[in-house]
């Protein structure tokens, strides 16, 4: 199988890492990729938001499958253009990707499907926003309706900050605050059959102890030893199947990766958000544990053949990923610094530990340099979370990037590395 992956972050590197180890894959291409992906896939330049250009590239390469990583190309309708060219694509149509592209649309679908989520108002004017903020009270949750590259959500106790964010957006969703630990559950679907992956948890705040600003994600782990073993079944019944069914009923079937961001509140599971693609950094740990060859799974979803696909196989072990971020991330990341120690990880810790590249590039001398806010995602597996975590941090310590920072508490509580309080044993 010849595969073209669209995107160039750690998620796409994780996808390429899994795809290249699938014996069914004969050629792997990635556009645009990054310095790490270059080691496993042939890189191509393409405007990922230009459907005709992506379809033409896929056609030229003779691709049997196109896998679209990020949300912006999906919302722009890239998958429609590739599908129209007769090439199977893993990723929803532009209409179906609205589940991520518009928070108001996602709320509407959830309401129609009876999916539990935070109560919410869609507001266009400042007066409507004020009314909604008043109705819910603090903490305030204000979400830009559209795609905002991880910067669209403000959760604050400060009414003025909440109002300011509402005014800065054209259309906002203001909703009730959900407390409780967050879980990410991904499902692969062809629009009819839904196959859940294993749950993971990510760490959104920049600093240890969930302090500091929100980021794209500073680390993740899987499995969740503290979670109810029936969680996946419950989310399948109450969230994933009804949502896929509702999208099909509307004539805009969702095929690809449906990402349910969940809050486990004292009143039950609630959807925090849907994404229309693999999450980053959760993908790094979920795929690290998947034993079923990935290409066949994604191809079956792309071609409507998931019903006949054998049950997924998983490692019994654990995976942890730790993101190394550039100095200044998330406000003003610095770029262009050389990265050293990558070979040491491979030599001493591989293959259980490996470095996935997020924002990297090659400089004129062919050295790997930083080129983004999140630079690397150091991923490790082990028989349990404690050992996977220890190895991940051992590998992180081998990597040198001037000014970089990372969290030191990824998976710490879940691995039993720090005592958990009896009242909230599960909150990360
Ligand atoms: P989103 O982009 O929707 O994932 O939101 C980013 C983050 O904001 C989530 O991961 C949560 O930590 C937080 N958040 C979003 N919605 C809520 C909510 N209703 N209550 C509490 N926190 C929320
Ligand atoms: N891990 C959060 C996201 O991918 O949106």
């Amino acid at each position: 199988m010849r595969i073209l992956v669209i995107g160039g972050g750690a998620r796409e590197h994780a996808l390429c890492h899994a795809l290249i180890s699938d014996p069914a894959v004969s050629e792997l291409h990635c556009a645009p990729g990054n310095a790490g992906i270059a080691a496993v896939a042939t890189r191509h330049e393409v405007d990922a938001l230009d459907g005709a250009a992506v379809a033409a590239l896929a056609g030229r390469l003779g691709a049997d499958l196109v896998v679209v990583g990020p949300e912006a190309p999906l919302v722009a309708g890239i998958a429609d253009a590739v599908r129209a060219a007769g090439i199977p694509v893993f990723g929803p149509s532009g209409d179906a990707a609205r589940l991520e592209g518009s928070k108001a649309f996602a709320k509407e679908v959830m309401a129609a499907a009876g999916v539990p989520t935070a109560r919410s108002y869609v507001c266009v004017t400042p007066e409507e926003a004020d009314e909604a903020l008043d109705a819910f009270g603090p903490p305030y949750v204000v979400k830009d309706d559209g795609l905002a590259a991880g910067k669209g959500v403000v959760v604050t106790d400060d009414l003025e900050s909440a109002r300011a964010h509402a005014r800065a957006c054209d259309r906002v969703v203001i909703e009730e605050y959900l407390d409780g630990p967050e879980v990410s559950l991904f499902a692969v679907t062809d629009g009819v059959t839904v196959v859940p992956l294993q749950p993971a948890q990510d760490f959104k705040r920049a600093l240890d102890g969930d302090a500091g600003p929100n980021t794209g994600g500073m680390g993740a782990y899987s499995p969740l030893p503290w979670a109810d073993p029936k969680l996946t079944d419950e989310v399948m019944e109450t969230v994933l199947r009804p949502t896929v069914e509702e999208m099909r009923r509307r004539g805009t079937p969702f095929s690809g990766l449906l990402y349910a961001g969940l809050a486990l509140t004292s009143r039950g599971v609630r959807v925090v958000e849907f994404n229309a693609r693999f999450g980053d950094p959760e993908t790094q740990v979920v795929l690290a544990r998947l034993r079923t060859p990935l290409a066949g799974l994604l191809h079956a979803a792309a071609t409507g053949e998931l019903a006949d696909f054998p049950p997924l196989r998983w490692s019994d072990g654990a995976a942890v990923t730790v993101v190394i971020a550039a100095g200044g991330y998330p406000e003003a990341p610095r770029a262009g610094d050389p990265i050293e120690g990558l070979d040491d990880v491979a030599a001493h810790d591989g293959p259980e530990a490996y470095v996935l590249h997020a924002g990297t590039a090659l400089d004129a001398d062919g050295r790997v340099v930083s080129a983004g806010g999140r630079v690397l995602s150091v991923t490790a597996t082990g028989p349990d979370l404690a050992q996977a975590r220890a190895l991940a941090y051992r590998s992180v310590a081998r990597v040198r990037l001037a000014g970089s920072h990372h969290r030191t508490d990824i998976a710490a509580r879940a691995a039993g590395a720090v005592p958990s309080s009896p009242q909230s044993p599960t909150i990360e």
Side-chain angles (χ1 to χ4, degrees):
M1 210 186 311
R2 288 192 196 125
I3 300 187
L4 168 62
V5 175
I6 301 297
R11 162 187 47 213
E12 287 75 27
H13 196 175
L15 287 163
C16 287
H17 185 85
L19 288 168
I20 202 68
S21 63
D22 181 342
V25 176
S26 54
E27 272 180 42
L28 187 58
H29 299 269
C30 189
N34 60 35
I37 291 173
V40 290
T42 308
R43 293 181 65 186
H44 303 270
E45 287 300 327
V46 77
D47 177 358
L49 298 180
D50 180 343
V54 173
L57 174 63
R60 232 175 18 253
L61 296 173
D64 303 296
L65 175 68
V66 175
V67 179
V68 185
E71 61 275 18
L74 291 166
V75 172
I78 292 299
D80 304 77
V82 176
R83 234 174 246 125
I87 301 170
V89 55
F90 184 80
S93 68
D95 283 341
R98 288 183 72 211
L99 270 185
E100 174 165 5
S102 165
K103 301 218 184 256
F105 175 75
K107 287 289 185 188
E108 184 193 312
V109 170
M110 283 188 265
V115 169
T117 183
R119 288 179 297 122
S120 65
Y121 294 108
V122 180
C123 306
V124 181
T125 67
E127 292 71 31
E128 286 171 357
D130 283 346
E131 230 172 278
L133 291 169
D134 194 43
F136 288 125
Y140 303 103
V141 181
V142 183
K143 303 184 168 187
D144 193 339
D145 177 51
L147 284 189
K151 298 193 178 63
V153 179
V154 166
V155 181
T156 176
D157 283 322
D158 178 42
L159 180 59
E160 282 318 309
S161 314
R163 296 178 74 194
H165 185 56
R167 277 162 179 66
C169 309
D170 286 342
R171 216 156 94 106
V172 288
V173 173
I174 292 178
E175 67 181 30
E176 129 193 64
Y177 178 81
L178 300 172
D179 61 357
E182 286 183 44
V183 171
S184 304
L185 184 62
F186 303 163
V188 170
T189 174
D190 56 10
V192 180
T193 302
V194 185
V195 177
L197 306 187
Q198 292 262 325
Q201 190 170 50
D202 76 345
F203 294 72
K204 289 224 163 71
R205 300 286 188 144
L207 306 175
D208 282 2
D210 289 334
N214 254 316
T215 72
M218 295 297 289
Y221 69 92
S222 177
L224 313 180
W226 50 267
D228 184 339
K230 293 196 289 293
L231 177 67
T232 298
D233 288 346
E234 180 186 347
V235 176
M236 276 292 281
E237 288 317 310
T238 60
V239 175
L240 295 166
R241 279 205 194 97
T243 301
V244 168
E245 180 57 36
E246 172 64 18
M247 292 301 284
R248 189 160 57 114
R249 196 189 61 75
R250 289 170 177 242
T252 52
F254 184 102
S255 77
L257 195 291
L258 181 58
Y259 166 137
L262 307 161
L264 311 187
T265 76
S266 48
R267 290 179 297 136
V269 175
R270 300 282 185 277
V271 174
V272 175
E273 63 165 343
F274 282 131
N275 291 321
R277 37 92 195 159
F278 280 100
D280 188 348
E282 298 97 313
T283 298
Q284 286 87 303
V285 290
V286 171
L287 294 185
R289 299 186 50 233
L290 180 66
R291 290 283 165 270
T292 299
L294 184 63
L297 174 64
L298 302 188
H299 190 268
T303 52
E305 288 158 6
L306 266 187
D308 301 324
F309 201 77
L312 300 186
R313 291 181 290 112
W314 296 94
S315 102
D316 291 333
V320 173
T321 196
V322 178
V323 169
I324 299 181
Y329 176 78
E331 289 88 5
R334 57 190 254 190
D337 294 300
I339 301 168
E340 283 162 5
L342 298 175
D343 293 341
D344 296 339
V345 176
H348 298 289
D349 302 336
E352 287 78 17
Y354 46 92
V355 180
L356 299 169
H357 291 226
T360 66
L362 295 175
D363 72 4
D365 301 323
R367 293 179 310 171
V368 179
V369 297
S370 59
R374 289 188 292 172
V375 181
L376 303 167
S377 190
V378 179
T379 307
T381 57
D384 58 27
L385 274 178
Q387 293 178 68
R389 178 172 190 275
L391 180 58
Y393 278 108
R394 211 155 53 235
S395 301
V396 166
R398 297 187 199 280
V399 177
R400 294 179 300 283
L401 168 62
S404 69
H405 62 99
H406 62 268
R407 281 183 63 157
T408 67
D409 62 348
I410 302 300
R413 215 175 281 182
V418 291
S420 52
S421 79
Q423 279 80 27
S424 54
T426 58
I427 296 177
E428 277 293 340

